[in-house]
């Protein structure tokens, strides 16, 4: 158990819908990262927040957005979902950037 | 462009065999290096990391890795694998907060 929690564990939805994935970092970690893992794209970095502010952006689509709240939990919002968005979405946290990241169990999103 | 490449996509070996997974990166400047493992159906777990100092790094479960700066490599090794080492292994490089992963190597250990 890494100390990073993610909800829900599984999510099944339809194309065109919007979903929100939630992540709670390890106690004391200020940075939260989101990753997408799919068979064809591998593990892709999406976005990083540090203490509530966006710090780095990766291959995140415009239909996706994220935020980190004052209590440091983070949400990843995925809208206008497409079949290709089906993937495992991982959240990770670290004390600060450059440090080792601890990964949550992931949310498996299936878009039908 | 910055990149992380893992030499093998799939490796199949027998129990007690030795394992070596290659990882090369192309980054300028200072980097932090990691190997993560993902067991079937589970999340990524850190095997080992290199920030500075001794280039031979020992991690959990008998794994070690060697950082060779001149070759931009960070290869993972284990002298004798077990069936429970069946997993996907990811090399990762951290630069300015972004952790970039290699494509992963699927390792299957047969009894």
């Amino acid at each position: 158990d890494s100390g990073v929690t993610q909800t829900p564990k599984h999510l099944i939805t339809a194309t065109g819908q919007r979903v929100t994935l939630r992540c709670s970092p390890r106690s004391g970690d200020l940075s939260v990262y989101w990753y997408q893992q799919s068979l064809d794209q591998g593990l892709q970095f999406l976005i990083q927040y540090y203490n509530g502010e966006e710090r780095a952006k990766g291959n995140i689509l415009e239909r996706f957005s994220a935020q980190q709240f004052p209590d440091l939990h983070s949400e990843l919002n995925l809208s206008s979902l497409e079949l290709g968005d089906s993937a495992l979405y991982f959240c990770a946290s670290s004390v600060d950037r450059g440090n080792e990241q601890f990964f949550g169990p992931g949310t498996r999103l299936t878009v039908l | 462009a910055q990149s992380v490449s893992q030499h093998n996509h799939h490796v199949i070996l027998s129990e007690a065999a030795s394992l070596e997974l290659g990882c090369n990166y192309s980054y300028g400047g200072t980097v932090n290096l990691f190997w993560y493992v993902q067991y079937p159906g589970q999340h990524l777990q850190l095997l080992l990391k290199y920030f500075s100092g001794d280039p031979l790094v020992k991690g959990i479960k008998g794994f070690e890795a060697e950082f060779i700066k001149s070759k931009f490599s960070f290869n993972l090794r284990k002298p004798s694998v077990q069936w429970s080492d069946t997993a996907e292994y990811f090399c990762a490089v951290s630069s300015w907060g972004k952790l970039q992963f290699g494509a992963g190597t699927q390792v299957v250990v047969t009894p």
Side-chain angles (χ1 to χ4, degrees):
Chain A
D1 185 0
S2 65
V4 179
T5 60
Q6 287 187 249
T7 57
K9 198 168 183 179
H10 300 277
L11 199 48
I12 301 175
T13 188
T15 55
Q17 295 298 306
R18 173 190 167 95
V19 297
T20 298
L21 313 183
R22 184 187 167 102
C23 167
S24 292
R26 290 188 325 155
S27 176
D29 285 356
L30 298 178
S31 272
V32 169
Y33 310 77
W34 286 98
Y35 294 87
Q36 180 193 59
Q37 186 179 35
S38 60
L39 281 174
D40 53 344
Q41 298 283 335
L43 200 54
Q44 298 280 323
F45 166 71
L46 295 178
I47 197 162
Q48 179 208 354
Y49 278 81
Y50 175 79
N51 205 19
E53 293 188 7
E54 183 183 306
R55 269 286 178 92
K57 230 171 182 177
N59 302 322
I60 188 165
L61 299 171
E62 283 190 15
R63 300 183 284 109
F64 296 179
S65 65
Q67 52 183 330
Q68 187 180 27
F69 295 87
D71 66 353
L72 301 178
H73 91 270
S74 178
E75 292 181 356
L76 179 67
N77 300 296
L78 314 176
S79 61
S80 302
L81 285 168
E82 302 174 0
L83 295 177
D85 297 327
S86 295
L88 256 175
Y89 291 85
F90 286 108
C91 167
S93 73
S94 70
V95 171
D96 195 357
R97 64 184 186 182
N99 296 96
E100 63 189 90
Q101 296 180 19
F102 294 85
F103 282 76
T107 293
R108 182 170 292 281
L109 173 67
T110 302
V111 182
L112 300 175
Chain B
Q2 297 169 334
S3 66
V4 181
S5 64
Q6 292 183 233
H7 304 166
N8 310 93
H9 291 296
H10 291 94
V11 171
I12 301 173
L13 60 168
S14 303
E15 276 189 311
S18 65
L19 172 70
E20 179 158 1
L21 302 181
C23 173
N24 285 90
Y25 64 92
S26 63
Y27 274 82
T30 304
V31 294
N32 295 331
L33 300 161
F34 307 84
W35 275 98
Y36 283 86
V37 62
Q38 187 175 27
Y39 297 103
Q42 295 190 27
H43 62 281
L44 279 84
Q45 301 172 43
L46 183 69
L47 269 181
L48 47 77
K49 61 188 178 188
Y50 174 80
F51 287 1
S52 64
D54 188 344
L56 187 60
V57 179
K58 293 197 184 300
I60 61 171
K61 307 189 181 193
F63 285 91
E64 64 178 33
E66 185 175 12
F67 170 55
I68 303 179
K69 190 175 181 180
S70 60
K71 294 185 178 179
F72 297 91
S73 70
F74 189 54
N75 293 350
L76 181 71
R77 297 194 290 254
K78 184 169 183 178
S80 176
V81 295
Q82 301 172 316
W83 177 79
S84 57
D85 293 321
T86 294
E88 190 158 16
Y89 294 80
F90 293 91
C91 177
V93 177
S94 174
S95 178
W96 291 102
K98 277 192 196 179
L99 192 61
Q100 180 155 352
F101 286 88
T105 298
Q106 184 67 49
V107 173
V108 174
V109 179
T110 59

